[in-house]
Amino acid sequence: MTKNENIRTRTLGSTGPSVFPLGLGCMGMSALYGEADRDESIATIHAALDAGVTLLDTGDFYGMGHNELLIGEALRTAPAAAREQALTSVKFGALRTVEGGFAGYDGRPDAVRNFLAYSLQRLGRDHIDIYRIARVDPDVPIEETVGAIAEAVQAGHVRHIGLSEVGADTLRRAAAVAPIADLQIEYSLISRGIEEEILPTARELGIGITAYGVLSRGLISGHFSRDRELAPGDFRGMSPRFQGENLRHNLDLVDALRKVAENKGVSIAQTAIAWVVSRGEDIVPLVGARRRDRLSEALGAVDVRLSPADLAAIEEAVPAGAAAGDRYPAAQMAHLDSEH
């Protein structure tokens, strides 16, 4: 996989960094999708950097620090030029238990500084490029959390402030405190809730979007079968969209999308990713590839150009709101400021 020097970059908002049109979401290399191959994970990060990818996204709670350590190792063993171009996007704030459960969120300024210190150590970096709380702490005003990150920016420990899964009102409140580079939020053909209010607000405020879940955790990748058995610990075993009749309905949508992809001569995954890319120059999709072959497929989406006829066919195959089931179990949906 070689770097495509002709690929234009995208800028995260009016104040954020310029990045490759796709970012690499690294969560699955450490957590929530069953066992991952450490060597293949590191090789995939190296291949992404070699192809020109700049944005590496993680969370300090992915594998309780494992994912940051993995990225740190990948960066240490990458060629110097690749290491220097890499930008780290880190989510913090999730509280974990020894058993791997989630115990809420902590957005207090003291907690922000604590989380940041540990992340810098695990990553082996002297700064984090984009830092964001994973979910809004309901007990701490967003102004206080963002203010603490702004202090870290002033101190040189953080380059840019991001947000994750917040609604339009919270977006405005945060932006009134300090410049916000981007909002990380789920956005895909079957998760289009941001289009009504959140995306227009972000654009009004000059805030970019880093879109995760662009393949809906593999559901609309074309690689998920109706009879697939998930590994123990795979998050999708609890996800409403992967259950029973919901799964059958959603895979029917994928079958309809397959016909569009075949007519275009590209894969289903490439079609779904290219659709997100087409939604605006201010949107950077994050692809959660854990292997080099999946990464290569995803990178091919950057070269896919969707015509008005293609977009109309995609819309007919997978209309807005067509998916069955929520994107998270009910308990996790309750933590999403973006859904309230």
Side-chain angles (χ1 to χ4, degrees):
M1 213 175 305
T2 57
K3 187 181 299 186
N4 186 340
E5 300 291 354
N6 296 318
I7 297 295
R8 287 178 53 202
T9 59
R10 293 188 165 194
T11 302
L12 292 178
S14 58
T15 63
S18 292
V19 299
F20 187 84
L22 296 182
L24 182 62
C26 300
M27 179 188 76
M29 297 175 181
S30 299
L32 297 179
Y33 293 117
E35 290 294 321
D37 183 316
R38 184 183 187 86
D39 291 340
E40 181 61 24
S41 295
I42 291 174
T44 300
I45 294 172
H46 287 169
L49 295 172
D50 184 57
V53 172
T54 48
L55 189 64
L56 303 177
D57 183 76
T58 184
D60 63 10
F61 50 94
Y62 293 164
M64 274 73 90
H66 178 277
N67 204 234
E68 289 182 319
L69 289 168
L70 183 78
I71 291 172
E73 181 179 345
L75 291 175
R76 282 195 306 276
T77 54
R83 184 167 58 249
E84 289 166 7
Q85 78 179 17
L87 302 176
T88 53
S89 167
V90 178
K91 291 177 291 297
F92 69 89
L95 303 176
R96 304 298 302 270
T97 66
V98 173
E99 295 75 22
F102 285 86
Y105 298 90
D106 193 343
R108 294 172 302 135
D110 281 345
V112 174
R113 291 184 279 270
N114 178 76
F115 288 127
L116 176 59
Y118 280 95
S119 286
L120 291 171
Q121 178 69 24
R122 285 188 290 256
L123 288 166
R125 311 274 277 189
D126 63 5
H127 71 276
I128 289 169
D129 294 284
I130 311 173
Y131 202 51
R132 69 188 87 240
I133 190 165
R135 299 288 185 267
V136 174
D137 181 345
D139 298 322
V140 178
I142 194 64
E143 291 86 351
E144 293 185 17
T145 304
V146 169
I149 305 174
E151 290 176 3
V153 172
Q154 290 294 319
H157 303 313
V158 171
R159 293 285 188 265
H160 303 281
I161 304 170
L163 293 168
S164 175
E165 285 290 354
V166 305
D169 179 62
T170 303
L171 204 56
R172 291 186 186 281
R173 288 170 52 199
V177 175
I180 306 297
D182 71 323
L183 167 63
Q184 188 174 120
I185 196 163
E186 186 166 352
Y187 187 39
S188 73
L189 269 169
I190 63 171
S191 295
R192 296 172 61 176
I194 72 169
E195 293 178 342
E196 184 175 341
E197 186 179 12
I198 294 173
L199 180 55
T201 301
R203 285 175 167 161
E204 175 193 334
L205 297 170
I207 297 171
I209 299 290
T210 41
Y212 75 89
V214 293
L215 295 177
S216 299
R217 299 164 183 83
L219 181 59
I220 60 173
S221 68
H223 302 299
F224 201 95
S225 62
R226 286 170 169 79
D227 58 355
R228 178 171 174 178
E229 291 192 12
L230 296 171
D234 192 316
F235 160 81
R236 292 169 294 190
M238 301 181 295
S239 174
R241 289 183 175 173
F242 288 83
Q243 307 301 315
E245 188 56 42
N246 286 351
L247 178 62
R248 287 186 286 274
H249 170 85
N250 292 331
L251 289 179
D252 285 344
L253 297 176
V254 177
D255 287 339
L257 187 61
R258 178 177 285 107
K259 297 175 184 176
V260 180
E262 288 175 348
N263 288 336
K264 187 73 174 171
V266 298
S267 74
I268 297 170
Q270 288 169 339
T271 303
I273 296 168
W275 181 86
V276 179
V277 172
S278 77
R279 307 311 284 176
E281 290 286 328
D282 53 349
I283 297 174
V284 174
L286 299 172
V287 295
R290 300 197 296 172
R291 306 191 327 235
R292 283 168 286 182
D293 58 338
R294 293 286 192 254
L295 172 68
S296 182
E297 180 185 24
L299 289 171
V302 176
D303 296 319
V304 176
R305 297 293 177 264
L306 299 175
S307 68
D310 294 331
L311 292 170
I314 292 170
E315 190 72 30
E316 183 177 356
V318 187
D326 286 332
R327 54 197 183 99
Y328 285 104
Q332 294 184 39
M333 289 291 289
H335 291 294
L336 297 176
D337 182 77
S338 55
E339 295 287 342
H340 301 302

